[in-house]
């Protein structure tokens, strides 16, 4: 496995998720359901390669669907555990060799779950695995210094940057409406890097140290 898609139990936005997967149909994704994310598979006819969670939030129909799966690896977790279902699933995918992980259903009304899922990006960075959280309006990931963004390929209209886990030093933005040069980006001044726009055919992001969170967003 090199690329995995995890469907979590947040705001999955079924039509968007299906469209996103269709546009990337040539990729050989390993599909994993994290707890209530299993109901996405039940409702769409897709079959996960693996399903894991305590499954305490599944509907009766979801539980029946879980029991009907014959070729899916199922890992039942205890409700009392030291990590979330999504975190456990991310660790599983990394252990299976995933170099890239896309998480659908990672956002929603539970801000505590969203913050926990954002921290998973740092886990991926530490393990050498690129993790992205995607929903209808947002594409969220950590990027490396030297990243080139193509305007024709960007997700949405706006590009915002935030420091995650500490300051980002020497931040330089080239090809943006609001460029920067060797700026030290701190949490208390991150309004400076909200809702930027790519104005050239391509834009470049460089920095010296830190973990830089990028959000591509659309209304």
């Amino acid at each position: 496995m090199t690329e995995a898609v995890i469907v979590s139990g947040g705001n999955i936005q079924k039509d968007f998720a299906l469209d996103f997967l269709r546009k990337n149909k040539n990729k050989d994704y390993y599909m994993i359901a994290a707890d209530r994310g299993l109901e996405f598979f039940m409702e769409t006819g897709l079959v996960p390669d693996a399903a894991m969670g305590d499954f305490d939030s599944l509907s009766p129909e979801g539980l029946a669907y879980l029991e009907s799966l014959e070729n899916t690896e199922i890992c039942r977790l205890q409700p009392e555990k030291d990590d979330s279902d999504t975190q456990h699933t991310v660790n599983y995918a990394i252990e299976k060799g995933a170099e890239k992980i896309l998480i659908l259903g990672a956002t929603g009304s539970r801000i505590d779950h969203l913050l926990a899922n954002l921290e998973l990006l740092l886990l991926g960075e530490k393990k050498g695995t690129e993790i992205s959280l995607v929903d209808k309006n947002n594409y969220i990931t950590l990027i490396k210094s030297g990243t080139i963004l193509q305007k024709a390929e960007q997700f949405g209209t706006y590009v915002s940057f935030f420091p995650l886990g500490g300051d980002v030093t020497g931040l330089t933005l080239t090809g943006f409406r609001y460029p920067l040069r060797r700026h030290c980006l701190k949490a208390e001044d991150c309004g400076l890097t909200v809702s930027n726009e790519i104005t050239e055919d391509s834009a470049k992001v460089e920095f010296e140290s830190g973990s830089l969170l990028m959000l591509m967003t659309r209304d």
Side-chain angles (χ1 to χ4, degrees):
M1 177 208 314
T2 58
E3 297 191 41
V5 170
I6 295 173
V7 181
S8 191
N11 187 10
I12 299 173
Q13 301 164 321
K14 182 172 64 177
D15 291 343
F16 163 77
L18 281 174
D19 185 60
F20 189 93
L21 291 173
R22 288 192 190 105
K23 288 178 178 177
N24 293 275
K25 63 182 179 181
N26 293 328
K27 293 188 177 182
D28 187 19
Y29 285 130
Y30 189 86
M31 304 284 287
I32 312 173
D35 202 70
R36 193 162 59 91
L38 185 65
E39 298 198 353
F40 167 81
F41 292 90
M42 176 184 70
E43 294 168 358
T44 60
L46 298 174
V47 179
D49 296 292
M52 52 192 56
D54 51 41
F55 303 117
D56 59 351
S57 58
L58 283 182
S59 65
E61 294 80 9
L63 287 171
Y65 174 71
L66 176 66
E67 298 300 328
S68 73
L69 294 173
E70 297 181 353
N71 299 311
T72 298
E73 180 180 353
I74 297 173
C75 179
R76 297 178 183 269
L77 307 177
Q78 294 296 322
E80 298 81 17
K81 53 187 180 301
D82 294 331
D83 57 5
S84 68
D85 293 321
T86 303
Q87 182 177 347
H88 190 94
T89 306
V90 165
N91 279 317
Y92 166 85
I94 292 174
E95 290 170 4
K96 293 279 284 188
E99 298 173 1
K100 292 185 177 181
I101 299 174
L102 176 74
I103 307 179
L104 300 169
T107 61
S109 59
R110 288 286 300 270
I111 301 299
D112 55 344
H113 286 178
L114 174 59
L115 289 174
N117 289 335
L118 287 174
E119 296 294 334
L120 293 178
L121 303 182
L122 290 173
L123 171 64
E125 183 179 58
K126 182 178 180 181
K127 299 286 188 177
T129 299
E130 178 185 321
I131 299 178
S132 302
L133 315 180
V134 185
D135 65 23
K136 182 178 180 180
N137 298 103
N138 306 280
Y139 185 95
I140 310 168
T141 192
L142 290 178
I143 61 172
K144 298 178 180 179
S145 179
T147 293
I148 304 292
L149 303 174
Q150 302 294 337
K151 183 175 178 63
E153 299 174 0
Q154 73 179 96
F155 182 102
T157 304
Y158 305 104
V159 187
S160 301
F161 301 97
F162 300 91
L164 190 62
D167 298 345
V168 172
T169 65
L171 177 61
T172 298
L173 303 178
T174 307
F176 290 88
R177 181 176 299 278
Y178 307 108
L180 282 178
R181 181 164 178 79
R182 298 183 60 80
H183 178 74
C184 181
L185 184 62
K186 300 175 179 290
E188 57 265 31
D189 74 347
C190 60
L192 178 70
T193 50
V194 172
S195 298
N196 211 331
E197 298 177 54
I198 299 174
T199 54
E200 305 293 336
D201 289 341
S202 63
K204 189 172 185 178
V205 183
E206 300 171 278
F207 54 96
E208 295 172 357
S209 67
S211 296
L212 186 63
L213 182 69
M214 180 185 74
L215 285 79
M216 287 187 168
T217 57
R218 57 192 177 204
D219 293 328

